[in-house]
Amino acid sequence: MVGRYALSLALLAAASPAASQVTPREIAEIADISGLAASPDGQWLAYRVERPSTANNRIDAEWFIVAADGRTNPRSLGHLGAALSNDAGSILPGEIGWTPDSQTVVVRALVDNRVGLWKSTIDGSGFAPAIVADGDIENFALLPDGALVVRQLPSRAETLRAEEREREAGVLVDGRTDLAAPLFRGGIVNGRHATQRFTGDWFDRAPLLAQGPPILRTWKLDTREERPLSEAAISALADRPTLELPAAPAAALEAAGACITGPACADATLRLSSWIGAPGGRIVTTLRDGAYRQTLYIWTPETGNIRKLASGEGLLAGNRLESTACTPVPRAVFCVEAAPSIAPRLVRIGFNGRKTIIASPNGYPDDDGLVAETVAWQVSGSRASGVLIRPKIPGRLPLFVTYYRCTGYPRGGLGDEWPLRALAASGIAALCINALPGGAKAEDRYGLAMAAVRAAIDELDRRGIADRKRVGMGGLSFGSEVTMWIATHSDMLRAASIASLQMGPAYYWFNARPGRKMFAENLEQYFGVGSPDDDPDGWRRISVASNLDKLGAPLLLQLPEHEARQTVELISKVATAEIGETHIFPLAPHIKVEPRQKLAAYVRNLDWFRYWLKDESDPDPEKAAQYQRWAAIRAARDALSSERSQRSISAISSNRK
C-alpha cells in the first residue's frame, strides 16, 4: 500500500514542470514561494507555493511544512483557494500564524470568493475553516493563549447594498472617485467584481466601504466562540514600526563597506536589503549590489563580528521581493532563491554556510539552449547592470530591451509583460536593465535611461551579440515612460510596446480636483508640470501624443482599462496615423494579474517583436487577422517613409538650383 505522503510526493514530482520555461504559457505559469514562517518551537518551517494556472485562470495556493533541520522532504498541508493580490496587481505573500504549541497553522485564504481564516494541524490532514466571517478578513494575529484577533471589512451584503445604492442614485464625484475606471464594480477585489475608491495615496485603491472605522473581533480558535476585545488584542493587530538595525552589526557592516541607509546608498556598491533577528541573539543581514545580487551575513553577539553566510547570482530573500528577509530557525535560515538561471526555489542555509535545496516547484534546470547572465557596462561614469538572455547560437541577433527592475528570475521585466525567455528561444536576445538613480527632473531621468540603453546596445554590438539595426523595447510604468521617450527622441528602436498609461492633458483632468492634492503635488515634484492651462509648454514637452510625429517605431499598447481612458489621445492618434494598435484588458489593475491576461500579453508581445525584428509570422490561422493589421501598419509606414524621402530629395534639389 502506498502511503498518502509518498503518493503526494510522486504526484508533485510528476506535476513539476521543467525549469527551462521558453514558451509564453510556461512563463505565465512559473510558481513562486512566499509565507515562510518558523514554528514557535523552531522545529518546523511553513511556506506557500503560488502556481498560476491558465487552465482555471487563477493562482492556486498550496501550503507545505518541512522540518527545520532540512533532513526530510516537505509535507503538503493542502491546496487552499487562490492567492490574493493588491489593488496594483502585485501578489500578496502568504499570511500564516502558528499556535503556541507548534501543532497547528492558521492561514488567510480566498476560498469561494470569501477571505477567511483556515487551520490545519501539521500532520497534513487538511484545512478546515477557522473563521469565515460575514466580511472579508483583512488582517489577523494569534494571541499567546491561542485566540484569534482579526480586522475585517464590512459584511459582503452591506457592501453590495452600498454599491447598488450608488448605481441607482448616482455617484458623487469627489477626491476618492476614480473617473477613469468603471464606476460600478469596476475592479476585482478578493475574487469578485467590486467598486473601489482612491485612498489618498497616489493611485492606491480600496473597496467602497473600507475607509470606515476598523472592525475588530476576537475568537477562540478551538470553539470559534467570540470573546470581548482586549487592549492586548488590539495591540496585536497594530502595524509594527520599522526598527533600525542595532548599532553593533550596523557598524560591522559599514566597516565592511556596506551602506546601511540614506541617500548615499543610491551609489553604494553594497547596500542593506533586510535584516532579521535569529536564535541566540544573532542577526542575519542581507546586502545587495547594483545588479540585485544578494549576500547573507551573520552577526554574533559573542564575537561582535560579522561573517558571510552565502551569496548568489540573484535573490536570497523571503519571497519575490528583494526587501524581504529570510526566515531563521535555530541553526539556519530558509530563503527563497532565484537568479537569472534559477527559477524560484526554497533553500536552507545553515549557520555553517552549507546550502541545501529544500523545494523546487519549477523543476530543476535543464539545457534549454539559452544563456542567462548578469551583465554590466559603463554609462557616463556610472555602472549599469542588467540580465541578458540569449540563445546559444553564433552571430548578431535582434535585441529586445526592457528597463526598470531585473530581480531574481526574469520573466518579463517589471510587471511580467514580455516573455524574455520565449523571445530568446525565438532568436531575439532579451536584455532587462536595472534603472539607474535618476535626477530631480523627468527629462534627466529619461535622458539617463536613454544613455544606459544606448551604451548597452553599443556594448552588445561590440561583443558581436546584437544587431543595432534591429532593436525593440517595452516597458511598464516608469519603464513605459522610458520606452516612449527613447522611441520619440532617438532612432534606436525598430518596434516598441508599452503596458501602462502615458501622461497627457487627459491624464491630468481625470485626476486633478479637490481631494486629490497629492496628485498635483507629485506632478509638480517628479515631472515639473502644473495644470495644462497654466503650463501648456510643459505638457507638450512630456506628452507622447503631442510628439507623435517624432515616433520612429510601430507601437503596441496593451493597457488596463482604467489606464486606457487616461491615454485616449495617444490611442486615437496612433490608430488614426496607422502606426500601431491598442488592446485593452477589462478589470485589469496596473500589473495584470489574471494568468490568461498575462498569457495573452506574452503571446502578442512575442508575435509583435518577431514580426518587426525578424520579419517572422506565426502560421497559426487564428492569427491571420492580426498579421493583416500589422501588414497594413507596415504599408502605411513604408508609404510615409517614401513620402518623407521624396520631400527630402525635393528640398535638396531645390537648394541646388
Side-chain angles (χ1 to χ4, degrees):
M1 178 177 179
V2 179
R4 180 178 58 188
Y5 176 51
L7 179 60
S8 175
L9 285 177
L11 291 173
L12 280 172
S16 296
S20 58
Q21 293 89 353
V22 296
T23 70
R25 186 180 299 277
E26 289 170 337
I27 298 170
E29 294 183 340
I30 291 172
D32 280 298
I33 301 171
S34 71
L36 279 59
S39 60
D41 64 7
Q43 298 301 303
W44 300 98
L45 187 284
Y47 65 94
R48 189 181 77 176
V49 173
E50 301 123 23
R51 190 180 298 281
S53 168
T54 56
N56 63 24
N57 199 31
R58 70 178 194 177
I59 301 173
D60 293 318
E62 183 176 7
W63 285 92
F64 294 83
I65 63 167
V66 65
D69 61 14
R71 295 179 180 177
T72 58
N73 289 322
R75 177 191 306 157
S76 174
L77 297 179
H79 292 270
L80 191 63
L84 292 159
S85 59
N86 64 17
D87 60 291
S90 296
I91 300 302
L92 297 176
E95 298 167 77
I96 184 171
W98 283 89
T99 55
D101 62 3
S102 298
Q103 295 302 301
T104 302
V105 297
V106 177
V107 302
R108 192 169 81 105
L110 171 63
V111 180
D112 296 331
N113 293 332
R114 295 186 174 199
V115 180
L117 299 181
W118 295 69
K119 63 181 180 180
S120 172
T121 55
I122 61 176
D123 63 5
S125 57
F127 281 98
I131 302 297
V132 180
D134 53 356
D136 287 342
I137 292 177
E138 288 189 297
N139 191 13
F140 78 100
L142 276 161
L143 302 179
D145 63 358
L148 281 167
V149 56
V150 307
R151 183 176 70 241
Q152 70 179 68
L153 291 171
S155 73
R156 282 170 284 273
E158 182 182 355
T159 300
L160 291 172
R161 287 194 296 269
E163 292 173 344
E164 286 289 351
R165 284 195 298 269
E166 277 202 336
R167 185 187 65 81
E168 295 165 353
V171 176
L172 172 65
V173 176
D174 58 18
R176 297 182 59 224
T177 311
D178 184 359
L179 291 174
L183 296 180
F184 179 67
R185 297 176 184 165
I188 300 292
V189 177
N190 296 341
R192 75 171 187 89
H193 293 212
T195 300
Q196 294 178 296
R197 290 287 182 267
F198 287 134
T199 64
D201 186 6
W202 198 222
F203 286 97
D204 288 355
R205 297 171 177 83
L208 180 59
L209 299 182
Q211 297 289 37
I215 301 172
L216 307 180
R217 303 170 74 180
T218 307
W219 279 275
K220 292 182 179 179
L221 180 59
D222 51 354
T223 64
R224 292 193 233 176
E225 173 190 350
E226 191 166 2
R227 53 188 255 184
L229 197 65
S230 66
E231 289 297 326
I234 296 173
S235 175
L237 282 182
D239 292 335
R240 297 290 184 265
T242 301
L243 300 177
E244 290 187 4
L245 181 65
L253 286 175
E254 289 176 336
C259 185
I260 304 302
T261 187
C265 287
D267 298 319
T269 302
L270 289 176
R271 67 210 77 177
L272 183 67
S273 291
S274 65
W275 68 273
I276 194 166
R282 303 178 181 93
I283 289 178
V284 177
T285 61
T286 308
L287 303 182
R288 72 164 179 87
D289 63 12
Y292 292 91
R293 292 173 295 202
Q294 294 189 308
T295 302
L296 300 184
Y297 290 84
I298 187 168
W299 177 87
T300 54
E302 294 84 3
T303 65
N305 295 329
I306 193 163
R307 65 180 168 84
K308 185 169 76 171
L309 271 184
S311 60
E313 288 300 310
L315 297 185
L316 289 170
N319 53 48
R320 195 176 175 184
L321 299 178
E322 77 276 0
S323 58
T324 56
C326 299
T327 295
V329 292
R331 295 182 178 84
V333 290
F334 283 82
C335 306
V336 177
E337 182 180 32
S341 59
I342 300 174
R345 65 190 186 188
L346 182 68
V347 298
R348 180 186 185 273
I349 300 172
F351 290 154
N352 60 3
R354 181 185 176 190
K355 182 171 74 174
T356 304
I357 299 172
I358 300 298
S360 294
N362 296 292
Y364 291 93
D366 56 16
D367 188 359
D368 55 12
L370 302 181
V371 176
E373 59 183 331
T374 299
V375 293
W377 61 97
Q378 292 296 315
V379 182
S380 304
S382 298
R383 184 178 175 86
S385 68
V387 173
L388 176 66
I389 306 174
R390 57 186 174 87
K392 298 176 182 177
I393 57 177
R396 296 183 184 275
L397 302 168
L399 175 67
F400 170 79
V401 179
T402 187
Y403 185 90
Y404 203 170
R405 188 68 67 85
C406 316
T407 60
Y409 186 70
R411 303 162 208 197
L414 182 76
D416 296 336
E417 288 274 342
W418 298 268
L420 302 182
R421 301 184 74 86
L423 286 163
S426 70
I428 300 172
L431 175 64
C432 179
I433 300 177
N434 292 306
L436 293 170
K441 295 181 179 180
E443 290 93 333
D444 294 339
R445 298 192 295 273
Y446 301 153
L448 183 60
M450 185 160 68
V453 172
R454 190 184 300 277
I457 295 171
D458 289 343
E459 174 65 16
L460 297 180
D461 178 33
R462 183 189 65 79
R463 291 173 56 183
I465 293 174
D467 178 353
R468 65 185 316 122
K469 295 181 179 179
R470 293 186 292 165
V471 177
M473 188 169 182
L476 171 80
S477 203
F478 175 62
S480 75
E481 298 169 30
V482 169
T483 297
M484 295 314 301
W485 186 267
I486 293 174
T488 55
H489 289 76
S490 79
D491 59 357
M492 284 190 277
L493 305 184
R494 190 164 169 178
S497 164
I498 59 173
S500 50
L501 65 81
Q502 296 303 291
M503 293 174 58
Y507 171 71
Y508 181 89
W509 295 119
F510 263 109
N511 292 284
R513 55 187 178 275
R516 292 282 284 155
K517 182 180 179 182
M518 177 178 287
F519 172 80
E521 290 176 343
N522 283 349
L523 282 183
E524 177 65 35
Q525 179 178 354
Y526 296 109
F527 298 97
V529 293
S531 78
D533 289 345
D534 298 332
D535 189 9
D537 291 340
W539 282 94
R540 278 192 292 270
R541 188 178 67 251
I542 66 172
S543 168
V544 176
S546 297
N547 292 277
L548 211 56
D549 60 320
K550 303 175 185 176
L551 182 64
L555 176 62
L556 173 65
L557 299 97
Q558 301 201 82
L559 308 179
E561 182 178 1
H562 66 280
E563 295 190 13
R565 289 186 172 89
Q566 301 176 73
T567 317
V568 62
E569 183 182 2
L570 177 61
I571 292 171
S572 297
K573 287 185 174 180
V574 165
T576 302
E578 296 183 281
I579 55 176
E581 69 179 26
T582 301
H583 297 260
I584 297 173
F585 291 78
L587 301 176
H590 185 57
I591 296 173
K592 299 177 185 68
V593 65
E594 290 186 12
R596 288 178 188 164
Q597 290 191 341
K598 190 86 73 178
L599 176 60
Y602 277 157
V603 170
R604 192 172 291 117
N605 273 319
L606 177 61
D607 290 346
W608 180 257
F609 288 103
R610 285 182 62 201
Y611 183 81
W612 293 105
L613 302 185
K614 297 190 70 182
D615 296 323
E616 292 180 352
S617 300
D618 189 329
D620 184 350
E622 293 188 3
K623 294 182 179 180
Q626 166 180 280
Y627 290 110
Q628 288 172 3
R629 297 194 306 271
W630 296 355
I633 294 171
R634 185 185 292 258
R637 287 178 52 79
D638 290 345
L640 178 61
S641 176
S642 176
E643 180 183 338
R644 287 174 175 170
S645 297
Q646 291 297 325
R647 286 202 302 264
S648 176
I649 294 171
S650 177
I652 293 172
S653 300
S654 176
N655 290 335
R656 288 178 176 174
K657 288 182 179 177

